Amino acid sequence: MTIEFHLRVHPGEDLRRFETTPVFWADTPPPRAWDVPVRPTDSAFLIRQGAEGLEAVVRRWWLVPAFHKGPLLAWKTLCANAEIESLETSPIFREAYASRRALVPLTSFVVYEEPPGWRKGQPKRRWEATWTPTGPADKVRYFAAVWDRAETADGTLESFAIVTGPAGADLAGLQDSEPAVLTLAQGLDWLKLDGPGKAGLVTQTPAGTYNLEEAPRDAVMSRELRRSL
């Protein structure tokens, strides 16, 4: 599963990469130090189809589906990630997959490994996954994501989940899944509701796709992050 990621560029710099497809910046990016990872329930920015073209907005990571009408804290199902196998069948994700897709920019993501003899409650090894860019524009890639809007008892909430699938060669020894990470061209195809959809996503990536560097676990963790480990 994906439980942390980084975006170590200014959002405006990322949007300039959409040279042939203009993006309207609808929200102010959340203030965040570049070395602080984005974690479940944090706000992050995503790119989606708006009324007049592509728009960039800031939304909550951890999807709450439209059918949830109670208080926000009453939704306890872990929905930071959406498994690719269940996109078309899960009551939580199928409507979002059919009509509300998005891209989440990133420059790296984090995976955790259980060391030999690990027991619940003990720390895991933390690895940051990056790639070797093919050019300046490839420093940023994009999670395939789905988003939804819920009219909760606490007000309207828009939130998203990152699509994950079986782990490829680089990550298989660390965890069972990996996120669907796309180039800009692949991401624009993902946004097309009449496009290839999940058939165009690749998660079981070949060896050498990612560079892994061990990064010590932060001392302070959110309650949601602890639950997800």
Side-chain angles (χ1 to χ4, degrees):
M1 65 176 65
T2 303
I3 54 173
E4 298 179 50
F5 68 91
H6 285 275
L7 178 62
R8 291 189 173 99
V9 299
H10 187 278
E13 179 183 345
D14 178 67
L15 296 186
R16 285 196 292 272
R17 302 179 195 283
F18 288 77
E19 294 178 358
T20 59
T21 307
V23 178
F24 171 67
W25 180 249
D27 290 344
T28 302
R32 183 184 303 280
W34 284 17
D35 286 334
V36 175
V38 181
R39 295 169 171 166
T41 74
D42 284 347
S43 295
F45 91 93
L46 67 156
I47 297 164
R48 66 185 184 184
Q49 187 65 45
E52 299 180 2
L54 296 183
E55 63 178 11
V57 295
V58 174
R59 295 295 183 264
R60 179 186 191 259
W61 179 22
W62 190 309
L63 186 143
V64 176
F67 60 75
H68 179 70
K69 306 299 181 183
L72 177 58
L73 290 179
W75 181 258
K76 300 185 182 298
T77 304
L78 180 60
C79 291
N81 301 303
E83 294 183 358
I84 193 170
E85 299 88 348
S86 63
L87 283 176
E88 292 177 299
T89 58
S90 167
I92 297 173
F93 300 120
R94 62 191 178 199
E95 292 298 324
Y97 170 65
S99 57
R100 291 180 290 278
R101 300 179 194 168
L103 301 175
V104 180
L106 72 146
T107 52
S108 66
F109 62 92
V110 174
V111 296
Y112 282 82
E113 176 189 15
E114 298 177 3
W118 178 87
R119 289 199 232 166
K120 188 174 182 179
Q122 294 178 332
K124 297 182 181 182
R125 297 181 70 184
R126 182 179 183 274
W127 299 87
E128 187 168 0
T130 59
W131 55 88
T132 302
T134 58
D138 195 40
K139 292 179 181 178
V140 175
R141 292 187 184 178
Y142 307 87
F143 289 129
V146 293
W147 68 274
D148 212 343
R149 180 186 296 111
E151 299 296 338
T152 76
D154 300 308
T156 302
L157 175 72
E158 291 188 348
S159 54
F160 68 90
I162 290 167
V163 178
T164 61
D170 294 328
L171 305 183
L174 305 178
Q175 59 181 34
D176 295 333
S177 65
E178 78 175 61
V181 178
L182 310 176
T183 64
L184 176 56
Q186 292 168 332
L188 292 176
D189 280 343
W190 167 250
L191 293 179
K192 298 173 183 176
L193 299 181
D194 59 351
K198 71 177 190 178
L201 302 182
V202 176
T203 62
Q204 291 178 296
T205 50
T209 300
Y210 294 115
N211 309 310
L212 294 172
E213 181 176 352
E214 189 164 8
R217 186 180 187 176
D218 291 343
V220 179
M221 300 175 64
S222 69
R223 180 185 63 181
E224 290 79 8
L225 182 58
R226 288 186 185 279
R227 284 179 51 204
S228 65
L229 289 177

